[in-house]
Amino acid sequence: MNAAPEAQSLRDLYRELVMDHARNPRNFGKLEASTHSAEGINPLCGDKLILYLDVGADDRVRAASFEGTGCVISLASASLLTETVVGMRSTNAARYFDVLRSRLSKAPGGTEPVIDLGKLQALEGVREYPSRVKCATLPWHTLGAALSCSDTPATTE
Ligand code: ZN
C-alpha cells in the first residue's frame, strides 16, 4: 500500500514554496541601514550572495536583505532566511542554522532540538540531493559570518 499521499502533497507544497521564493526573492537588494553584512560563496555551484542585517541594540534583527546570484535553492534559502530572522535575537538565528543543518544531513544526530522551522522546512527536500545541501546552507553560513563581523567571505568549502 502506498502510504504517503500526504507526504507527497507536502513535498509538492514545499517545492512550490521554494520556486516562489527563487522567482520572487523577498527582501532582495542592498540594505542601506545595515549594521552587519557578509559575502558568501559556494564555489561548487557558483552561488554568490551578500547578506545585510540591521541588528538593534537589543540584539534583535530589525531588517534583513540580500543580493546576489545563484541557483534556485540558494536564492530560495536566502529569501526564506531574510523572512525568518527578522524580529529574532541574533543568537536565536544562529540556532536555526544548527537545526537546519542537522535536518539536512542524513546522519541522524541523536536528540534533535525541538524547534519549529516553519517555512524553512521547505528546504528539507534538498536532503535527497546531497550536492545541493550547500546551496541551502550557504545563506546561513553567510549569516554566521555577518553576525561575527567577519571580513573574509563565508564559503561552503
Ligand atoms: Zn546552488
Side-chain angles (χ1 to χ4, degrees):
M1 177 183 145
N2 183 359
E6 268 176 43
Q8 181 61 45
S9 61
L10 196 63
R11 260 209 298 276
D12 289 346
L13 196 73
Y14 285 160
R15 191 174 296 132
E16 271 171 37
L17 188 72
V18 166
M19 290 308 297
D20 180 43
H21 274 266
R23 280 197 207 104
N24 309 297
R26 319 301 198 263
N27 309 303
F28 192 84
K30 189 175 180 184
L31 190 66
E32 293 300 338
S34 65
T35 56
H36 297 67
S37 69
E39 187 179 8
I41 299 161
N42 174 11
L44 285 185
C45 181
D47 309 318
K48 206 173 168 185
L49 65 97
I50 303 175
L51 186 71
Y52 303 95
L53 298 170
D54 176 16
V55 182
D58 61 354
D59 190 42
R60 281 193 196 280
V61 179
R62 287 189 293 222
S65 78
F66 77 103
E67 57 187 2
T69 54
C71 66
V72 165
I73 302 291
S74 69
L75 289 175
S77 179
S79 176
L80 285 161
L81 181 153
T82 59
E83 280 202 328
T84 302
V85 298
V86 170
M88 248 182 214
R89 283 184 193 280
S90 66
T91 42
N92 249 351
R95 274 189 65 214
Y96 261 68
F97 178 36
D98 289 340
V99 175
L100 186 68
R101 192 162 43 180
S102 82
R103 295 259 178 98
L104 292 181
S105 70
K106 288 225 174 196
T111 49
E112 196 169 273
V114 179
I115 186 167
D116 181 9
L117 285 178
K119 282 184 194 168
L120 292 178
Q121 289 180 65
L123 296 169
E124 288 188 33
V126 303
R127 191 166 39 190
E128 292 166 39
Y129 310 95
S131 65
R132 310 307 298 278
V133 167
K134 285 172 179 170
C135 303
T137 54
L138 173 67
W140 294 86
H141 283 292
T142 311
L143 175 78
L147 290 174
S148 60
C149 302
S150 171
D151 284 334
T152 43
T155 172
T156 51
E157 294 312 299

